[in-house]
Amino acid sequence: MDRVALYLQDAHSLQEGMELARYAEAKGFEAVWQAESRLVRDAIVPMAAFAAVTDHIKVASGVINNWTRNIGLLAATFLTLDDLAPNRVICGIGAWWDPLAKKVGIDRRKPLLAMRETVEVLRRLLAMENVTFHGEFHHVDGIQLDVVHGRVEPRNVPIYIGATGMKMMEMAGEIADGVCLNYLVNPRYNAEAMDALEAGAKKAGRHIDDIDRPQLVICSVDNDRKHALDMARKMMTQYLGQQPHLMKASGVSQELLDEIHQVLTWPATEEEIEGAMHLVPDDVVQMCTASGSPDEVKAKVREYIASGATCPILYPLGDPKLMIDIFSTGYN
């Protein structure tokens, strides 16, 4: 079966998310990824819940940020998750985004260096090393994961960088186990991303195929095509109006982005989002999402795979079990 994963954010209760994780596991999905982006739901509690009620599906953060958790606590958190679900946990980590980070007091200066230091120290701690590191962002002196009772062996927790910009993408190719490619991008964006990943991989003596490349994909599927497109249109309107890094990567014209931005404040109200939805035409919705009939949705996912992604991480709008059923035998 082609690799396929489920993405959950905050549209469902935690109890429903647990049931969806079990359902996706039963249908052959490889992983369930939990979002942490807006100020709504952290990733760690849902990941623990999903891990506790499943047996073999992987559980990933998609993605936490590298600014708000002390590096020692971050390592201890993923050690704990690995205790709950050994060899099933993935740490997806990204550089967050403004204006949200700035509004909570985070100065995202030198994001590449900050991420590089985070990945290095986190990886060494999860390898159960005693770590001394004095960088610009992390300062630790002779620390280690102090396991007295339990498993003391190095932990198999792959680190995936959630990269959107090409400088971060290149660094992911150099230092990460994988990259979590963003959603709301045109598949053509992936061509540039693959070049950046390959350039980074060469710096480390690796090949691009050594780097896993799952991709978040907005998946709005319904037998009522108009309803499917409208669900995705609403999501696009909100995110393109509020997240500059996605605006830049989406491939959407600047004129349309400017129109949307004039209508939306931050955070946008429901009324503002619905008032701006009409600005986003069907072809733009289908350019950046997998939306429409089941056949249209599968065809769009194939485009992302053909452009370099190794596994779609499907973010269901509408009925998630319908989407899981449709993709339970892959996307061929």
Side-chain angles (χ1 to χ4, degrees), residues 52-290:
V53 298
T54 57
D55 296 315
H56 54 80
I57 196 170
K58 295 177 182 177
V59 181
S61 55
V63 295
I64 60 172
N65 75 80
N66 65 309
W67 302 101
T68 56
R69 291 177 176 89
N70 174 272
I71 192 66
L73 174 62
L74 182 63
T77 297
F78 277 85
L79 173 117
T80 307
L81 287 169
D82 185 66
D83 281 342
L84 181 60
N87 301 310
R88 290 201 285 138
V89 174
I90 296 171
C91 176
I93 189 164
W96 222 8
W97 48 274
D98 286 317
L100 176 56
K102 184 176 181 179
K103 285 177 177 287
V104 299
I106 300 298
D107 179 8
R108 296 174 62 254
R109 66 183 183 87
K110 298 185 180 180
L112 295 173
L113 178 59
M115 180 64 74
R116 183 181 290 273
E117 290 186 9
T118 297
V119 171
E120 179 178 344
V121 179
L122 177 60
R123 179 174 282 132
R124 290 177 63 188
L125 287 170
L126 289 171
M128 308 306 283
E129 294 181 22
N130 185 290
V131 181
T132 295
F133 182 94
H134 295 291
E136 188 166 341
F137 294 90
H138 293 294
H139 299 272
V140 300
D141 188 8
I143 66 165
Q144 64 188 76
L145 292 170
D146 186 20
V147 177
V148 175
H149 307 286
R151 297 159 55 220
V152 297
E153 68 269 18
R155 301 309 175 92
N156 176 28
V157 179
I159 300 172
Y160 287 41
I161 293 177
T164 302
M166 292 305 131
K167 291 181 180 180
M168 188 68 75
M169 195 75 67
E170 182 173 334
M171 194 176 74
E174 179 186 356
I175 68 172
D177 298 299
V179 62
C180 182
L181 298 164
N182 220 333
Y183 51 27
L184 292 179
V185 297
N186 187 320
R188 288 195 298 271
Y189 159 92
N190 280 6
E192 186 179 4
M194 296 307 115
D195 288 343
L197 283 170
E198 188 163 26
K202 285 181 179 178
K203 289 182 179 179
R206 301 196 294 172
H207 187 272
I208 189 172
D209 289 337
D210 298 326
I211 304 153
D212 196 19
R213 307 181 299 276
Q215 179 151 35
L216 297 170
V217 180
I218 300 292
C219 184
S220 184
V221 58
D222 197 282
N223 290 318
D224 181 341
R225 184 175 183 274
K226 182 180 183 304
H227 180 62
L229 291 174
D230 283 343
M231 287 191 292
R233 194 185 332 270
K234 186 173 183 179
M235 172 71 69
M236 280 197 69
T237 302
Q238 178 182 2
Y239 279 65
L240 292 180
Q242 296 187 151
Q243 298 195 23
H245 63 301
L246 286 177
M247 292 165 59
K248 182 178 179 180
S250 66
V252 174
S253 72
Q254 189 60 49
E255 292 77 13
L256 176 55
L257 294 172
D258 289 342
E259 283 189 87
I260 295 172
H261 192 67
Q262 288 175 7
V263 178
L264 300 187
T265 59
W266 196 97
T269 65
E270 185 80 8
E271 292 77 14
E272 287 173 341
I273 295 168
E274 291 183 356
M277 281 175 56
H278 73 278
L279 298 171
V280 183
D282 286 357
D283 62 335
V284 170
V285 174
Q286 292 192 294
M287 179 177 72
C288 297
T289 71

Side-chain angles (χ1 to χ4, degrees), residues 3-7 24 29-33 214 311-315 323:
R3 298 173 60 196
V4 64
L6 174 67
Y7 182 73
F29 274 47
E30 174 182 292
V32 54
W33 291 68
C311 172
I313 310 170
L314 302 175
Y315 181 0
M323 186 210 71

